Every structure is written in structure tokens, then in C-alpha cells.
Amino acid sequence: RKEVEQDPGPFNVPEGATVAFNCTYSNSASQSFFWYRQDCRKEPKLLMSVYSSGNEDGRFTAQLNRASQYISLLIRDSKLSDSATYLCVVNPRENTPLVFGKGTRLSVIA
Amino acid sequence: DAGVTQSPTHLIKTRGQQVTLRCSPKSGHDTVSWYQQALGQGPQFIFQYYEEEERQRGNFPDRFSGHQFPNYSSELNVNALLLGDSALYLCASSLDPEMNTEAFFGQGTRLTVV
């Protein structure tokens, strides 16, 4: 089982739609969780950290389920500018590097 | 405040050659990590440098080596290039070696091996 697995995508959705991405991780002792966004041919940029209590930033909501080793990202009211690849990122334990999923590509269509 | 800068942005090399990629971390950051991102894949960890020493290493052969300088900048060297080394090479800097804080990425160096 891979350390971090994501929905394969791509997701093609109309503007205004709600879309959810899922991610599972294999190491139950994992410490920290993040969603990064990567635009085509650009570097990854932090979208949001994921906390046990769940967190929301505008149209974006991230949730963590430690029991199921599952992370999700919900995007409401999708905009054309949301089109990108969304990377699920896990820090397995202290003093270890970040582990990235393969990413899920989102295309928001007018 | 300059973010993470990498050079060059693009590079074409032939098989068997050697390449050196460079990275300057974000101001105030002392930890530099290098990642390889093949097309359609997520970034794969190569190694991490802190206090001028390699702290962590991913599953990459010895052809991949690096260095960190006293000013925290870093180099990635790849010897005996293979076609499969073609990828986007990303440098990430952070404030602490544990990487529990946000990692900032440079724009990457796109390496093509022909």
C-alpha cells in the first residue's frame, strides 16, 4: 500500500459545483497533514493545513479522520481559477520529510 | 523578501552527463529539501539538508548527491544522467527540520535528458 493515495481524477466540474477530494495514508502515527495546490508547470503551494477538528478557509474545507486514516478536501462554489492539481501531503512522523500523493487534477469548466 | 529561488529554470543534458542545480532558501529558513517530480506524479523526496549535513535521504541512487553551504543555499548534483532523470526538480525550504511547518517551494528546474 502506498504511503499516500489520492482519488485518481481528473475531475471535470462546472462552475459553481461542489467537489470533494479524498486521500488515505498508511502510517497511523502520521503527525501532520496538508493540502497543496499545484498549477500547471508551477511549484506546489500550500493551500491549507488539516487539523483533527477540521478547518475551513472560505470555500475550502479540510477534514481529517484519524481512525480511518483519511483526509478530505471540499471545494464549494467552484471557480475557473480553482483549476489545478491538488496534492495530499502527509508528514509520517517527526524528523521525516513530507510525503506527497500523486495529486488529483481538477478542471472547472465555464 | 525573496522566496525560494532555483536556477536554472530549464536545462537540457545528454545521457551520461552531469548536472548541478542550485537553490536559495527563503530568508530565515535553514532547512532545504530536494524533490523530483516526474510528469503526472507527485514530488518524490530526494534528500534534506540542515546545518550543512544531509539529514534524510529518500530512495534515490548515489548518483544523486548534494551540498548545503553556510548561507543555507544548496546544490543538487546528478551524475551519469539517464533518460529517466528527466523531471521537474523542486527545492523546498522550511524553518525547522521536522517539516511540521509549511514548506515553501521554488519554481523548480525542469531537466530534460536526451
Side-chain angles (χ1 to χ4, degrees):
Chain A
R1 182 181 175 186
K2 292 186 177 179
E3 284 195 82
V4 179
E5 292 198 75
Q6 297 186 237
D7 282 351
F11 285 62
N12 299 312
V13 303
E15 275 187 290
T18 295
V19 61
F21 302 139
N22 303 316
C23 171
T24 56
Y25 59 95
S26 60
N27 187 337
S28 60
S30 295
Q31 301 280 317
S32 314
F33 310 89
F34 310 90
W35 284 101
Y36 275 71
R37 169 191 169 133
Q38 186 172 26
D39 292 296
C40 188
R41 304 182 77 82
K42 299 284 189 179
E43 74 274 21
K45 293 184 179 178
L46 179 67
L47 178 65
M48 57 199 307
S49 302
V50 187
Y51 305 117
S52 296
S53 54
N55 48 304
E56 186 174 311
D57 182 4
R59 298 181 293 107
F60 298 83
T61 300
Q63 297 210 317
L64 167 64
N65 184 322
R66 284 190 182 273
S68 301
Q69 295 176 211
Y70 171 96
I71 307 159
S72 66
L73 175 68
L74 184 76
I75 305 176
R76 292 180 299 278
D77 188 23
S78 299
K79 311 291 185 190
L80 294 175
S81 58
D82 294 333
S83 297
T85 296
Y86 291 83
L87 297 160
C88 176
V89 185
V90 175
N91 186 351
R93 53 195 176 278
E94 286 188 8
N95 297 319
T96 60
L98 300 176
V99 179
F100 287 76
K102 291 176 69 171
T104 302
R105 186 172 176 183
L106 170 66
S107 292
V108 181
I109 305 162
Chain B
D1 174 30
V4 181
T5 58
Q6 292 186 242
S7 64
T9 54
H10 296 82
L11 202 53
I12 299 175
K13 290 284 190 178
T14 56
R15 280 179 297 176
Q17 284 191 311
Q18 179 265 345
V19 67
T20 297
L21 311 181
R22 296 177 176 82
C23 171
S24 292
K26 183 176 170 63
S27 178
H29 285 186
D30 56 10
T31 303
V32 173
S33 300
W34 287 92
Y35 289 81
Q36 180 195 66
Q37 187 174 24
L39 199 61
Q41 303 293 317
Q44 298 294 311
F45 175 73
I46 303 175
F47 42 55
Q48 181 188 79
Y49 278 86
Y50 173 67
E51 292 187 342
E52 302 180 52
E53 290 191 359
E54 183 183 292
R55 288 188 68 252
Q56 303 276 348
R57 188 177 181 92
N59 189 25
F60 278 79
D62 292 344
R63 298 186 297 109
F64 289 77
S65 63
H67 188 76
Q68 186 177 35
F69 299 94
N71 66 352
Y72 307 125
S73 67
S74 178
E75 287 182 351
L76 163 66
N77 301 292
V78 187
N79 295 321
L81 284 166
L82 303 173
L83 295 179
D85 294 331
S86 296
L88 179 67
Y89 288 85
L90 294 161
C91 169
S93 77
S94 59
L95 196 54
D96 68 74
E98 295 180 6
M99 297 286 278
N100 283 323
T101 58
E102 179 181 356
F104 292 82
F105 284 86
Q107 82 282 11
T109 294
R110 191 164 298 279
L111 172 66
T112 302
V113 183
V114 298

